[in-house]
Amino acid sequence: MDRIRIIGGNKLHGTIPISGAKNAALPLMIAALLTDETLILDNVPRLADVALLQRILGNHGVDIMAAGKRPGDHEYQGQTLHISAKNIIDTTAPYELVSKMRASFWVVAPLLARMHEAKVSLPGGCAIGTRPVDLLIMALEKLGAEISIDGGYVIAKAPGGLKGATIEFPKVTVSGTHVALMAATLAKGSTIISNAACEPEIADVAGCLNKMGAKITGAGTPRILIEGVAKLHGARHTVLPDRIETGTYAMAVAMTGGEVQLSGARPELLQAALDVLTEAGVSITPNNDGIKVSRNGAGISPVTVTTAPFPGFPTDLQAQLMALMTRAKGASHITETIFENRFMHVQELARFGAKISLDGETATIDGVSKLRGAPVMATDLRASVSLVIAALAADGETMVNRIYHLDRGFERLEEKLSACGATIERISG
Ligand code: UD1
């Protein structure tokens, strides 16, 4: 199994290109199931989760062609996928595939909307809490689906097709909103989704669906209106930049000091996180090519942060912020409100000498003046990268084990960081 070796202590200087957002690319690829024409997606990140979803879609009979590089394409350019779900040969998504990635469960929505049936294994994914699918099922039932659960599979049927409805989510859910949105595009009549997730990836997917002929308004706000259409067609869409990757590298620079241009980043996608970094004493300058992040001389000030749905501070940056605060001048408090079990990084950060105590949903981090490199284990996707951030500022060597989690969500992380002066290498096998 691959590992990453880091020798800490180098400041970061240079440019890091920001990739397309994993959390938009996955639902966009799934949305291709809604039409028998080709959906072309540009700026798709090269990630293990994307490759896995290609296999899952392939199992349904979807043809995916990855366009080769063109002259003038730069090294980190995202890939272009031509996705054609002309003939759906199988409406079952098997356990062996779905159990590896939670988002693949979302195929239930387009399969049900277009083929009027789907049999999808209950999902797996990062072990960060129970992560049920009750709200996704509730949304599909509101749209007229008959749903049963048998042998670990969700079996969904809508013999006459789905029908528009009012769906009110009792809590904000990204997965629920994606599923309701995709399913409603082909339902008869109009659908209202209230208390919808406002994450930028939802608006990106809705934008693509509209290019495919859907009639969606209000995506990116808590109230989305969908006027069902009989058929969707092909389209071309560029995946928006990854706000979590952006925030992660911003925190890495904040941790080591130095100055890095995050090229292609869009500040409005992560304003809450940028505000927290500014409060911590980091200099954040949006410019034409993205965001410049620097910290020179001044130390890190402690912060108090609570994770929240967009536009709040994202849960997917909580572990990275915690790593940063291990070196703050004083005590920080971070409260996790989205996932109940998302503190697995705490014990791994302690291996660097970090002082963190947990009380229910709140972590108190007492900043220390030095971290020391250590062997650590990646637990989930975002937790893994928090260990990399700590290692970049720790004295001596860190070995991050089990990095397949990193490969699920961060494209060529070690290349991007070493290009800015970090001593980081992948050790294969
Ligand atoms: C998505 C993101 C993930 C991010 C999360 C929150 C993708 C591929 N993943 O995950 O990176 O951390 O949003 O921003 O986009 N819930 C229920 N019942 C349900 C569905 C969800 O109780 O049927 C709960 C979850 O357990 C969690 C909360 O709702 O406590 C939010 O989950 P949700 O927004 O759906 O997260 P995901 O879509 O799984």
Side-chain angles (χ1 to χ4, degrees), residues 4 11-21 43-47 74-78 241-242 244-246 248-249 252-253 260-265 385 388 392 409-426:
I4 282 184
K11 292 190 165 152
L12 297 176
H13 283 278
T15 298
I16 296 182
I18 298 303
S19 298
N43 199 30
V44 178
R46 291 179 174 80
L47 296 171
H74 68 71
E75 198 187 349
Y76 292 104
Q77 196 135 334
D242 197 316
I244 303 304
E245 191 195 28
T246 306
T248 299
Y249 288 123
V253 181
V260 170
Q261 172 70 26
L262 301 174
S263 147
V385 86
V388 173
L392 289 173
F410 290 92
E411 184 176 344
R412 299 203 273 178
L413 169 107
E414 67 279 15
E415 284 177 45
K416 290 186 183 185
L417 286 171
S418 63
C420 289
T423 305
I424 175 168
E425 62 172 342
R426 176 180 292 253

Side-chain angles (χ1 to χ4, degrees), residues 169 172-175 177 193 195-199 202-203 219-222 224 309-310:
F169 284 112
V172 176
T173 154
V174 172
S175 53
T177 306
I193 307 177
N195 199 23
C198 301
E199 268 64 7
I202 303 275
T221 76
I224 306 179
F310 190 86

Side-chain angles (χ1 to χ4, degrees), residues 4 6 244-245 247-249 251-252 255 316-324 342 345 349 352 376-392 400-403 405-407 409-411 413-414 417 424:
I4 282 184
I6 298 169
I244 303 304
E245 191 195 28
T248 299
Y249 288 123
M251 289 188 203
M255 185 67 154
D316 284 352
L317 286 174
Q318 181 254 106
Q320 297 90 315
L321 179 68
M322 194 179 297
L324 176 62
R342 203 167 202 183
H345 43 286
L349 288 171
F352 293 95
V376 290
M377 179 105 69
T379 47
D380 71 64
L381 176 50
R382 312 302 178 183
S384 316
V385 86
S386 76
L387 306 177
V388 173
I389 291 176
L392 289 173
V400 186
N401 297 293
R402 281 213 204 157
I403 59 159
H405 288 294
L406 276 177
D407 293 332
F410 290 92
E411 184 176 344
L413 169 107
E414 67 279 15
L417 286 171
I424 175 168

Side-chain angles (χ1 to χ4, degrees), residues 163-373:
K163 293 182 188 66
T166 297
I167 301 166
E168 179 154 7
F169 284 112
K171 72 187 312 190
V172 176
T173 154
V174 172
S175 53
T177 306
H178 275 307
V179 159
L181 185 65
M182 282 193 248
T185 55
L186 291 180
K188 280 190 204 91
S190 51
T191 295
I192 297 170
I193 307 177
S194 60
N195 199 23
C198 301
E199 268 64 7
E201 293 76 20
I202 303 275
D204 200 42
V205 171
C208 176
L209 290 169
N210 280 342
K211 287 181 197 166
M212 294 164 73
K215 292 195 175 143
I216 303 166
T217 50
T221 76
R223 192 167 189 273
I224 306 179
L225 263 137
I226 304 123
E227 207 51 63
V229 295
K231 213 172 172 330
L232 294 181
H233 53 72
R236 182 162 197 155
H237 185 78
T238 302
V239 178
L240 90 171
D242 197 316
R243 64 196 165 97
I244 303 304
E245 191 195 28
T246 306
T248 299
Y249 288 123
M251 289 188 203
V253 181
M255 185 67 154
T256 61
E259 181 172 295
V260 170
Q261 172 70 26
L262 301 174
S263 147
R266 278 175 38 197
E268 74 277 14
L269 302 181
L270 71 161
Q271 199 53 55
L274 297 179
D275 290 346
V276 167
L277 285 174
T278 305
E279 194 190 330
V282 182
S283 158
I284 304 282
T285 319
N287 53 33
N288 285 344
D289 175 46
I291 308 172
K292 184 171 279 179
V293 182
S294 65
R295 184 173 68 79
N296 295 312
I300 300 159
S301 304
V303 294
T304 294
V305 168
T306 299
T307 62
F310 190 86
F313 187 93
T315 172
D316 284 352
L317 286 174
Q318 181 254 106
Q320 297 90 315
L321 179 68
M322 194 179 297
L324 176 62
M325 288 303 137
T326 61
R327 294 282 313 277
K329 295 176 291 184
S332 301
H333 305 279
I334 301 181
T335 303
E336 170 60 52
T337 65
I338 310 290
F339 292 111
E340 74 272 25
N341 190 22
R342 203 167 202 183
F343 281 129
M344 272 100 67
H345 43 286
V346 168
Q347 56 183 18
E348 293 303 303
L349 288 171
R351 293 181 199 275
F352 293 95
K355 288 204 178 122
I356 305 170
S357 58
L358 282 178
D359 181 11
E361 297 171 340
T362 300
T364 299
I365 307 111
D366 286 303
V368 294
S369 57
K370 256 180 192 292
L371 297 177
R372 290 204 56 80

